[in-house]
Amino acid sequence: MADAFGRAILDHHRGERAEPLWQCDGEERLRHPIEEFYFEPFDADSAAGAWLEERLDGPLVDLGAGAGRDALYFQEHFETAAVEASDALVETLEARGVENARCGDMFRLRDQFERGRFRSALAIGTQVGLAGSMRGLREFLGDLARVTTPDATAVVDMYDPEYGDADEMLGFRADPTPGLAYRVNWFEYEGDADEALLFRLFSPDRLREATAGTGWVVADVYRPSDASYYRAALEKR
């Protein structure tokens, strides 16, 4: 199976990337900003970095760790496990110095970790939207609750389909249901194309609705700009 995204990230780390990584929807394509998104160091002094650091503790699981920006920072403070679905990304994580990197599926946490294994969880990269539906999101949150402690915290990020420039995003698909939409896109690199990704977009109110019965509540919502992107801090109650 093609892994255009993972190969591009690994090639960039090695200094061997000669072509862009493209993010595509039909005939539309955008150059994906690899350096900015994945290789800039974690900035603990920024407002976004400080907000995030205040809400995490160890042991931490970083779900969809990318090239390891966050894992590299937090492992200096407490135990951190970095999970990626791509072998190439796991290789990148290890090559960059992430101490505990593993290949895994963030939507099958029960199969990978024991109950109460982590004190905090981080899922930055909007990959939570791959849950695909309100039911899928609720199931993910339930599984995340199982592998975290009773006093755990978590941070996830998403796009709010009702806020800012959401409808201008590549791959945006409107939905008549308030607070919901879809996003469809895929990655291409050096002639290889990954399978299309189907994201469900949830407003903060829909996220709050999905937490019902999972053990989590939305404690805070942080919007770093006027765009549709936001981060949500979850707590157990």
Side-chain angles (χ1 to χ4, degrees):
M1 184 172 65
D3 184 9
F5 179 83
R7 286 200 308 107
I9 300 297
L10 180 57
D11 284 355
H12 184 90
H13 168 70
R14 291 172 169 170
E16 299 174 355
R17 184 174 65 85
E19 295 187 19
L21 173 65
W22 296 103
Q23 194 170 9
C24 309
D25 174 34
E27 297 300 317
E28 187 177 1
R29 53 170 34 195
L30 295 175
R31 187 186 298 256
H32 198 59
I34 290 179
E35 182 70 35
E36 176 185 349
F37 278 12
Y38 307 106
F39 289 92
E40 291 291 334
F42 182 88
D43 185 0
D45 295 327
S46 68
W51 183 91
L52 185 62
E53 189 167 16
E54 288 176 3
R55 286 157 176 81
L56 300 176
D57 200 353
L60 168 71
V61 60
D62 185 357
L63 300 170
R69 178 196 58 209
D70 299 330
L72 286 168
Y73 177 80
F74 286 111
Q75 73 180 13
E76 297 300 319
H77 301 275
F78 39 70
E79 179 190 353
T80 300
V83 178
E84 259 301 344
S86 159
D87 289 333
L89 289 177
V90 172
E91 186 174 348
T92 304
L93 290 166
E94 292 175 339
R96 297 192 72 214
V98 174
E99 297 167 359
N100 183 2
R102 61 179 70 190
C103 194
D105 184 347
M106 64 181 285
F107 296 106
R108 300 192 63 175
L109 293 174
R110 290 172 180 260
D111 299 335
Q112 299 165 84
F113 301 108
E114 66 269 22
R115 184 184 295 272
R117 173 66 177 84
F118 299 103
R119 173 65 179 77
S120 291
L122 177 63
I124 295 295
T126 72
Q127 58 267 23
V128 172
L130 294 172
S133 65
M134 288 289 289
R135 178 178 177 178
L137 178 57
R138 188 172 290 113
E139 290 175 351
F140 165 73
L141 293 172
D143 286 352
L144 187 62
R146 186 180 188 277
V147 302
T148 51
T149 59
D151 60 346
T153 59
V155 174
V156 300
D157 66 342
M158 300 185 188
Y159 290 109
D160 181 349
E162 298 182 325
Y163 194 90
D165 59 355
D167 60 352
E168 298 177 9
M169 285 192 302
L170 177 76
F172 182 85
R173 305 288 193 275
D175 189 305
T177 308
L180 295 176
Y182 287 101
R183 189 186 190 197
V184 180
N185 61 81
W186 63 88
F187 289 98
E188 294 183 4
Y189 176 64
E190 291 187 334
D192 288 337
D194 288 340
E195 293 184 3
L197 300 172
L198 175 63
F199 296 87
R200 195 62 157 144
L201 309 186
F202 305 93
S203 70
D205 284 344
R206 287 296 184 178
L207 176 58
R208 293 184 182 97
E209 181 182 339
T211 62
T214 68
W216 298 103
V217 295
V218 177
D220 193 18
V221 171
Y222 174 73
R223 296 185 187 271
S225 70
D226 291 333
S228 59
Y229 175 79
Y230 72 94
R231 294 178 176 180
L234 309 180
E235 296 177 355
K236 282 189 176 177
R237 291 184 185 170

